[in-house]
Amino acid sequence: MALGHHRFDWLYVAGFVRPSTGQVIWFLADTVSTALFSAPLAAFAREVGAGAGKRVLLVLVGAGWHVSGALEIPEGITPEFFPPYSPELQPAERLWPLTNEPLANRYFGRLADLDEALADHCCTLTDDPDHLRAETLFHWWPAFA
């Protein structure tokens, strides 16, 4: 019998994508929670100029930290939720294979190393909006989005 010490460090990616243009905004974090999601949501609202003069419809999947009453929703952001258990309808769900597959089966000795590699890869993806649009723009997605 061998004793082992299993430990895991986690890194989470949040991505806000506009399917019609392929524009994306990424956030990396080492945990997920309602309080933590409030910060990227506020940063996203600032980045897209949401506020009293500009409304942004944000489609979410309904994860616990998306639907919590404690979530701070910035002015100008209107959340809309897909039906439960329907992630295949959410364009942002198509981002995760793009972020995960190039880094899969690689060893990172420290979470900071993974964070750096993932951040670099997200920047590369951001620089290719045509590819992101091709992956996330479903034929039925509204043209104004």
Side-chain angles (χ1 to χ4, degrees):
M1 177 176 180
L3 296 177
H5 176 70
H6 298 282
R7 64 181 169 87
F8 298 95
D9 291 322
W10 298 96
L11 189 64
Y12 297 88
V13 181
F16 298 90
V17 64
R18 185 173 186 181
S20 62
T21 65
Q23 292 174 301
V24 66
I25 300 170
W26 304 100
F27 296 95
L28 305 179
D30 60 1
T31 188
V32 290
S33 69
T34 299
L36 186 64
F37 187 63
S38 293
L41 193 55
F44 168 74
R46 284 190 304 275
E47 182 73 24
V48 299
K54 181 179 181 182
R55 305 285 310 159
V56 174
L57 179 67
L58 181 61
V59 182
L60 299 166
V61 294
W65 53 91
H66 295 168
V67 298
S68 170
L71 181 64
E72 296 176 23
I73 300 174
E75 182 178 17
I77 298 291
T78 302
E80 183 64 41
F81 299 96
F82 277 117
Y85 309 106
S86 61
E88 70 279 1
L89 298 176
Q90 169 60 285
E93 290 292 324
R94 301 288 302 270
L95 296 173
W96 313 142
L98 300 175
T99 60
N100 297 344
E101 288 173 5
L103 302 177
N105 298 319
R106 288 182 50 194
Y107 173 75
F108 296 94
R110 301 176 312 125
L111 191 60
D113 298 334
L114 173 59
D115 183 65
E116 183 178 340
L118 186 55
D120 288 345
H121 185 64
C122 287
C123 288
T124 300
L125 288 169
T126 300
D127 291 340
D128 192 1
D130 292 335
H131 181 85
L132 293 173
R133 183 175 48 248
E135 292 291 329
T136 61
L137 183 58
F138 301 128
H139 68 88
W140 49 265
W141 196 255
F144 65 84

